[in-house]
Amino acid sequence: MVSELVVDVQPKEITIAVLEDKKLVELQKEAQDASCAVGNIYLGRVKKLMPALNAAFVDVGHKKDAFLHYLDLGVEFNSILYFQKQLEDKKKIPQISKLRLQPDIEKEGSITDVLKVGQEVLVQIAKEPISTKGPRLTSEISFAGRFMVLIPFIDRVSVSQKIKSREERTRLRQLIQSIKPKNYGVIIRTNSEDKRVAELDAELKLLVKRWEETSEKLMKAKATSLIYEETGRTVALLRDIFSPSFEQIHVNDKDVCKQIAEYVSVIAPERKNIVKLYSGRLPILDNFGITKQIKSLFGKTVMFRNGAYLIIEHTEALHVIDVNSGNRNNKSALGQEDNAFEVNSAAAEEIARQLRLRDMGGIIVIDFIDMSNGEHRNKLVSKMQEFMSKDRAKHNILPLSKFGLMQITRQRVRPEMEVTTSEECPTCFGKGTIKSSILFTDTLEGKIDYLVNKLKVKKFVLHIHPYVAAYIQQGLFSLKYKWRKKYGVAFKVIPDQSLGFLQYLFYDKDGSEIDLKEEVEMK
């Protein structure tokens, strides 16, 4: 299996797509000004205590107060408070290794015993704001690396359960115990299996340095302020999924490409050449066939094989997926039971892909086609487990119920990825009337005239639908050639699959959009 990462950097958002054998399996979009990302550390202020919930609402600067439960304070919470107090009393930052750790907080304690309204508290985002809910917080501060997670104020080492070899688990535990500073806890991740001491030691020192830099900021900070910002989404995603199967990483922005290249050169120096700066004419997502896949995979109805399809519905409480055989013709060699098993098996593969792609979390209920054969039912569960083994999110799959329903719970950390596949008419904006399409080229020429003679723009790029782009550029003396000669300008025409048939976008030489929407003329 060949894996590729495609990063599309735009002025307002960054889109990250993961391809496996050219098939889109993961998609992440993040606004350039996004806040409250998972892993960010804040100095917050307690706004309200809720004894009935045994929780508190904390102001971290988000429009909605964040939620902090007593169980998310962490056993080392007293040590964190003690450290904050030491920062107030001293001009020099105390070293954790020389600090006396405080007793653990009680497991069955009350939020009112440890927090009070107005108190400043060091917290980390555990779950991004979702729907009407604010961020979910934890006071168990951690710094994630590729091989391990560092937790200050806890003096213990634990190993991922996914490392099955007892000898390797013992080796890693003893190794980390021998190199980690005192009063730091470490969770050894699956990626650390069979890694050398030098690699693990280098990352451990890097994570400790991050905490020390965070401590320096904390010493000068006031509530509510950002103390530590998690690595950019691109690098964070790469940190979790990077593997030897990655063949190429394509980026269309020089700065982001440099960041990724630097990160890859640190974690895998021999693979640093896989990072490529994309400079093609087509939009990067169009070039790798991602735009078309997005349009076909994010609708309510998803086709997957031989006419079979899924219907995906979302509610506040859960997601429901219905499997249908559609107009699929039953093969003569297969009976009803075998045919149902074949469709269900193909559906299980597509559903596992959809869960990763849309990042669906919470409860998922799947209504498979009814099967009476017990062996087929058991095989279907095994296949679903196999297909979801690549999913990094924590999940649990229950066997088929007597009604043929499968229930899956999947960890929800970020809001579900939603992409609207239906398009508003780009020329009438929902009003129902448009200019004649045969006059569209006249409209474009008018816009070019306005750009050149009124706005004095001499270099620009025109993004239009591929069909229109082909029409404009056809022939030796094409419309594009005539316009360039008539107006004395140098401009490029870029076919863009994300645009509607009569939609257009103009960009200046710096890549910023020039707003010349038709809607202004119709008002």
Side-chain angles (χ1 to χ4, degrees):
M1 180 182 66
V2 178
S3 297
E4 294 177 280
L5 189 73
V6 178
V7 183
D8 180 25
V9 182
Q10 297 297 331
K12 293 183 179 180
E13 68 177 8
I14 297 177
T15 302
I16 303 159
V18 180
L19 302 177
E20 291 179 356
D21 293 333
K22 304 299 181 181
K23 290 178 66 177
L24 181 65
V25 294
E26 288 190 40
L27 185 71
Q28 298 282 349
K29 289 193 176 188
E30 183 180 76
Q32 291 279 34
D33 58 350
S35 61
C36 284
V38 171
N40 284 2
I41 299 174
Y42 292 83
L43 181 63
R45 177 178 282 114
V46 178
K47 290 290 291 294
K48 186 187 296 183
L49 296 177
M50 304 290 290
L53 298 175
N54 205 14
F57 285 100
V58 181
D59 180 13
V60 293
H62 191 259
K63 59 184 179 181
K64 287 186 175 291
D65 290 338
F67 184 79
L68 176 63
H69 195 274
Y70 179 85
L71 296 177
D72 293 324
L73 291 176
V75 294
E76 74 279 16
F77 186 67
N78 287 333
S79 297
I80 294 177
L81 292 180
Y82 179 69
F83 180 76
Q84 287 182 251
K85 190 173 182 181
Q86 295 294 309
L87 287 178
E88 295 175 2
D89 298 340
K90 296 183 179 180
K91 294 183 178 180
K92 188 177 180 181
I93 301 172
Q95 295 183 6
I96 292 184
S97 56
K98 297 180 181 179
L99 205 67
R100 180 169 54 87
L101 295 184
Q102 301 300 299
D104 294 349
I105 64 172
E106 298 179 13
K107 290 184 179 180
E108 304 297 328
S110 172
I111 195 77
T112 55
D113 295 336
V114 291
L115 292 179
K116 59 183 180 181
V117 175
Q119 180 179 344
E120 293 183 356
V121 58
L122 190 65
V123 290
Q124 188 169 29
I125 304 294
K127 185 182 290 187
E128 288 182 3
I130 296 176
S131 185
T132 58
K133 301 173 184 175
R136 180 77 180 255
L137 302 178
T138 177
S139 281
E140 191 170 59
I141 307 301
S142 63
F143 297 85
R146 187 169 176 236
F147 303 129
M148 66 191 75
V149 178
L150 181 75
I151 307 175
F153 306 106
I154 295 181
D155 202 356
R156 65 169 180 262
V157 176
S158 57
V159 185
S160 168
Q161 295 294 325
K162 292 183 180 180
I163 300 178
K164 302 300 182 183
S165 170
R166 182 178 299 178
E167 293 78 9
E168 180 63 10
R169 292 172 64 86
T170 303
R171 181 188 79 90
L172 289 170
R173 183 179 280 108
Q174 291 176 347
L175 192 158
I176 297 298
Q177 283 282 16
S178 66
I179 63 175
K180 81 171 185 68
K182 185 181 177 183
N183 295 339
Y184 284 95
V186 174
I187 300 174
I188 302 172
R189 304 182 73 176
T190 312
N191 286 337
S192 62
E193 192 169 8
D194 299 325
K195 290 298 182 290
R196 298 169 304 180
V197 181
E199 292 179 272
L200 300 176
D201 185 51
E203 182 167 276
L204 181 61
K205 288 179 178 176
L206 178 65
L207 297 178
V208 171
K209 184 180 178 183
R210 286 185 189 172
W211 163 251
E212 291 173 348
E213 292 172 350
T214 301
S215 300
E216 291 178 10
K217 290 185 180 180
L218 180 61
M219 192 173 185
K220 304 171 185 177
K222 297 180 181 179
T224 56
S225 59
L226 178 65
I227 305 297
Y228 167 79
E229 188 168 10
E230 174 62 295
T231 311
R233 178 66 63 87
T234 310
V235 176
L237 179 65
L238 186 63
R239 178 187 66 204
D240 293 335
I241 68 173
F242 186 84
S243 70
S245 66
F246 260 42
E247 293 288 334
Q248 301 286 343
I249 300 174
H250 304 278
V251 192
N252 65 347
D253 181 89
K254 288 183 180 179
D255 293 335
V256 176
C257 185
K258 184 179 178 182
Q259 291 175 21
I260 295 176
E262 289 175 351
Y263 180 74
V264 173
S265 65
V266 170
I267 64 173
E270 71 283 358
R271 307 297 309 284
K272 62 181 180 181
N273 292 328
I274 69 174
V275 183
K276 309 287 185 182
L277 177 64
Y278 176 78
S279 56
R281 289 181 65 251
L282 291 174
I284 188 170
L285 297 183
D286 289 4
N287 185 72
F288 291 95
I290 296 170
T291 304
K292 187 174 181 180
Q293 292 192 59
I294 291 173
K295 293 289 186 182
S296 64
L297 292 172
F298 276 91
K300 176 182 175 181
T301 302
V302 178
M303 309 295 294
F304 62 92
R305 189 180 296 177
N306 297 333
Y309 61 95
L310 306 175
I311 294 179
I312 303 176
E313 297 278 7
H314 309 281
T315 71
E316 185 68 24
L318 50 80
H319 307 278
V320 182
I321 302 176
D322 184 34
V323 179
N324 295 275
S325 59
N327 58 2
R328 170 191 168 93
N329 295 320
N330 290 339
K331 298 179 180 178
S332 56
L334 296 177
Q336 171 63 30
E337 178 71 20
D338 291 334
N339 190 64
F341 175 68
E342 184 179 306
V343 174
N344 285 340
S345 298
E349 182 177 7
E350 182 60 33
I351 289 169
R353 178 190 182 193
Q354 288 287 331
L355 297 186
R356 288 176 65 189
L357 186 61
R358 302 186 187 214
D359 206 7
M360 294 162 63
I363 301 172
I364 299 105
V365 178
I366 307 167
D367 182 13
F368 284 104
I369 298 173
D370 291 340
M371 297 183 298
S372 56
N373 189 313
E375 184 180 353
H376 282 168
R377 294 163 68 92
N378 293 334
K379 279 185 178 179
L380 182 60
V381 176
S382 299
K383 281 183 175 289
M384 180 59 80
Q385 292 171 340
E386 177 189 344
F387 295 138
M388 291 196 66
S389 61
K390 300 174 187 175
D391 197 335
R392 298 189 312 278
K394 294 178 183 177
H395 58 269
N396 186 31
I397 303 171
L398 297 182
L400 287 168
S401 71
K402 65 179 181 179
F403 300 114
L405 303 177
M406 179 182 289
Q407 298 175 65
I408 299 176
T409 58
R410 188 174 183 273
Q411 181 186 26
R412 188 197 312 231
V413 176
R414 296 184 175 92
E416 179 192 345
M417 173 61 64
E418 292 185 1
V419 177
T420 303
T421 55
S422 59
E423 299 174 352
E424 184 182 69
C425 175
T427 49
C428 77
F429 299 92
K431 296 178 181 178
T433 56
I434 63 171
K435 290 183 178 180
S436 174
S437 57
I438 201 170
L439 301 177
F440 180 58
T441 53
D442 294 342
T443 300
L444 287 180
E445 184 177 357
K447 298 300 179 184
I448 294 172
D449 184 11
Y450 181 76
L451 271 176
V452 175
N453 296 320
K454 296 290 185 180
L455 301 183
K456 306 300 180 183
V457 177
K458 294 297 182 182
K459 287 187 178 182
F460 57 87
V461 178
L462 171 60
H463 284 235
I464 47 180
H465 191 278
Y467 290 172
V468 181
Y471 176 75
I472 286 175
Q473 298 181 100
Q474 71 175 347
L476 184 61
F477 297 100
S478 63
L479 283 175
K480 176 185 172 183
Y481 170 81
K482 293 176 181 177
W483 292 344
R484 291 178 69 166
K485 189 174 181 180
K486 180 177 180 180
Y487 297 103
V489 291
F491 70 92
K492 294 180 180 179
V493 174
I494 305 295
D496 194 331
Q497 295 177 11
S498 66
L499 298 181
F501 188 63
L502 299 182
Q503 194 174 4
Y504 56 85
L505 292 174
F506 285 93
Y507 293 90
D508 62 21
K509 61 181 180 180
D510 298 322
S512 300
E513 183 182 345
I514 305 171
D515 191 0
L516 295 174
K517 296 288 192 305
E518 185 76 11
E519 182 180 18
V520 176
E521 295 181 358
M522 297 185 68
K523 286 184 178 179

